PDB file of all heavy atoms in Angstrom:
ATOM      1  N   ILE A 299       2.350  -9.647 -39.884  1.00  0.00           N
ATOM      2  CA  ILE A 299       2.846  -8.791 -40.970  1.00  0.00           C
ATOM      3  C   ILE A 299       3.186  -9.540 -42.276  1.00  0.00           C
ATOM      4  O   ILE A 299       3.723  -9.060 -43.193  1.00  0.00           O
ATOM      5  CB  ILE A 299       4.093  -8.017 -40.548  1.00  0.00           C
ATOM      6  CG1 ILE A 299       5.266  -9.051 -40.044  1.00  0.00           C
ATOM      7  CG2 ILE A 299       3.735  -7.001 -39.447  1.00  0.00           C
ATOM      8  CD1 ILE A 299       6.594  -8.378 -39.843  1.00  0.00           C
ATOM      9  N   LEU A 300       2.670 -10.844 -42.239  1.00  0.00           N
ATOM     10  CA  LEU A 300       2.975 -11.660 -43.380  1.00  0.00           C
ATOM     11  C   LEU A 300       2.536 -11.174 -44.699  1.00  0.00           C
ATOM     12  O   LEU A 300       3.265 -11.310 -45.764  1.00  0.00           O
ATOM     13  CB  LEU A 300       2.425 -13.114 -43.264  1.00  0.00           C
ATOM     14  CG  LEU A 300       3.323 -14.140 -42.541  1.00  0.00           C
ATOM     15  CD1 LEU A 300       2.539 -15.430 -42.310  1.00  0.00           C
ATOM     16  CD2 LEU A 300       4.663 -14.378 -43.200  1.00  0.00           C
ATOM     17  N   ASP A 301       1.429 -10.412 -44.780  1.00  0.00           N
ATOM     18  CA  ASP A 301       0.833  -9.905 -45.893  1.00  0.00           C
ATOM     19  C   ASP A 301       1.577  -8.615 -46.393  1.00  0.00           C
ATOM     20  O   ASP A 301       1.385  -8.039 -47.472  1.00  0.00           O
ATOM     21  CB  ASP A 301      -0.639  -9.631 -45.769  1.00  0.00           C
ATOM     22  CG  ASP A 301      -0.950  -8.589 -44.658  1.00  0.00           C
ATOM     23  OD1 ASP A 301      -0.040  -8.530 -43.766  1.00  0.00           O
ATOM     24  OD2 ASP A 301      -1.978  -8.036 -44.665  1.00  0.00           O
ATOM     25  N   ARG A 302       2.555  -8.072 -45.553  1.00  0.00           N
ATOM     26  CA  ARG A 302       3.234  -6.874 -45.849  1.00  0.00           C
ATOM     27  C   ARG A 302       4.699  -7.057 -46.165  1.00  0.00           C
ATOM     28  O   ARG A 302       5.460  -6.068 -46.427  1.00  0.00           O
ATOM     29  CB  ARG A 302       3.060  -5.882 -44.764  1.00  0.00           C
ATOM     30  CG  ARG A 302       1.608  -5.526 -44.394  1.00  0.00           C
ATOM     31  CD  ARG A 302       1.378  -4.816 -43.110  1.00  0.00           C
ATOM     32  NE  ARG A 302       2.181  -3.643 -43.089  1.00  0.00           N
ATOM     33  CZ  ARG A 302       2.578  -3.024 -41.875  1.00  0.00           C
ATOM     34  NH1 ARG A 302       2.152  -3.520 -40.800  1.00  0.00           N
ATOM     35  NH2 ARG A 302       3.191  -1.812 -41.899  1.00  0.00           N
ATOM     36  N   ILE A 303       5.226  -8.368 -46.069  1.00  0.00           N
ATOM     37  CA  ILE A 303       6.609  -8.595 -46.363  1.00  0.00           C
ATOM     38  C   ILE A 303       6.803  -9.622 -47.437  1.00  0.00           C
ATOM     39  O   ILE A 303       5.778 -10.322 -47.793  1.00  0.00           O
ATOM     40  CB  ILE A 303       7.334  -9.018 -45.059  1.00  0.00           C
ATOM     41  CG1 ILE A 303       6.666 -10.331 -44.530  1.00  0.00           C
ATOM     42  CG2 ILE A 303       7.297  -7.954 -43.986  1.00  0.00           C
ATOM     43  CD1 ILE A 303       7.360 -10.848 -43.306  1.00  0.00           C
ATOM     44  N   THR A 304       7.943  -9.786 -48.028  1.00  0.00           N
ATOM     45  CA  THR A 304       8.281 -10.770 -49.011  1.00  0.00           C
ATOM     46  C   THR A 304       9.197 -11.789 -48.390  1.00  0.00           C
ATOM     47  O   THR A 304      10.193 -11.432 -47.914  1.00  0.00           O
ATOM     48  CB  THR A 304       8.887 -10.209 -50.227  1.00  0.00           C
ATOM     49  OG1 THR A 304       8.070  -9.177 -50.745  1.00  0.00           O
ATOM     50  CG2 THR A 304       9.192 -11.223 -51.274  1.00  0.00           C
ATOM     51  N   LEU A 305       8.857 -13.179 -48.432  1.00  0.00           N
ATOM     52  CA  LEU A 305       9.679 -14.072 -47.870  1.00  0.00           C
ATOM     53  C   LEU A 305      10.400 -14.803 -48.980  1.00  0.00           C
ATOM     54  O   LEU A 305       9.741 -15.134 -49.994  1.00  0.00           O
ATOM     55  CB  LEU A 305       8.851 -15.091 -46.989  1.00  0.00           C
ATOM     56  CG  LEU A 305       8.308 -14.608 -45.696  1.00  0.00           C
ATOM     57  CD1 LEU A 305       7.565 -15.765 -45.018  1.00  0.00           C
ATOM     58  CD2 LEU A 305       9.329 -14.023 -44.757  1.00  0.00           C
ATOM     59  N   VAL A 306      11.651 -15.105 -48.862  1.00  0.00           N
ATOM     60  CA  VAL A 306      12.480 -15.805 -49.795  1.00  0.00           C
ATOM     61  C   VAL A 306      13.219 -17.004 -49.097  1.00  0.00           C
ATOM     62  O   VAL A 306      13.590 -16.891 -48.015  1.00  0.00           O
ATOM     63  CB  VAL A 306      13.471 -14.864 -50.602  1.00  0.00           C
ATOM     64  CG1 VAL A 306      12.732 -13.869 -51.380  1.00  0.00           C
ATOM     65  CG2 VAL A 306      14.373 -14.140 -49.541  1.00  0.00           C
ATOM     66  N   ASN A 307      13.352 -18.076 -49.843  1.00  0.00           N
ATOM     67  CA  ASN A 307      14.078 -19.143 -49.317  1.00  0.00           C
ATOM     68  C   ASN A 307      15.620 -19.029 -49.467  1.00  0.00           C
ATOM     69  O   ASN A 307      16.113 -18.740 -50.583  1.00  0.00           O
ATOM     70  CB  ASN A 307      13.749 -20.455 -49.958  1.00  0.00           C
ATOM     71  CG  ASN A 307      12.352 -20.940 -49.451  1.00  0.00           C
ATOM     72  OD1 ASN A 307      12.154 -20.962 -48.237  1.00  0.00           O
ATOM     73  ND2 ASN A 307      11.418 -21.259 -50.312  1.00  0.00           N
ATOM     74  N   GLY A 308      16.391 -19.183 -48.422  1.00  0.00           N
ATOM     75  CA  GLY A 308      17.854 -18.972 -48.508  1.00  0.00           C
ATOM     76  C   GLY A 308      18.490 -19.637 -47.267  1.00  0.00           C
ATOM     77  O   GLY A 308      17.739 -19.934 -46.247  1.00  0.00           O
ATOM     78  N   ASP A 309      19.742 -19.801 -47.232  1.00  0.00           N
ATOM     79  CA  ASP A 309      20.441 -20.445 -46.131  1.00  0.00           C
ATOM     80  C   ASP A 309      21.797 -19.938 -46.003  1.00  0.00           C
ATOM     81  O   ASP A 309      22.544 -19.823 -47.029  1.00  0.00           O
ATOM     82  CB  ASP A 309      20.355 -22.040 -46.408  1.00  0.00           C
ATOM     83  CG  ASP A 309      20.575 -22.839 -45.107  1.00  0.00           C
ATOM     84  OD1 ASP A 309      21.624 -22.514 -44.367  1.00  0.00           O
ATOM     85  OD2 ASP A 309      19.855 -23.778 -44.838  1.00  0.00           O
ATOM     86  N   LEU A 310      22.237 -19.654 -44.832  1.00  0.00           N
ATOM     87  CA  LEU A 310      23.667 -19.169 -44.587  1.00  0.00           C
ATOM     88  C   LEU A 310      24.708 -20.217 -44.820  1.00  0.00           C
ATOM     89  O   LEU A 310      25.839 -19.965 -45.045  1.00  0.00           O
ATOM     90  CB  LEU A 310      23.795 -18.690 -43.118  1.00  0.00           C
ATOM     91  CG  LEU A 310      23.105 -17.404 -42.726  1.00  0.00           C
ATOM     92  CD1 LEU A 310      23.447 -17.012 -41.303  1.00  0.00           C
ATOM     93  CD2 LEU A 310      23.621 -16.237 -43.719  1.00  0.00           C
TER      94      LEU A 310
END
Side-chain angles (χ1 to χ4, degrees):
I299 56 169
L300 274 175
D301 58 339
R302 300 167 59 200
I303 60 179
T304 302
L305 292 184
V306 293
N307 283 311
D309 198 312
L310 289 180

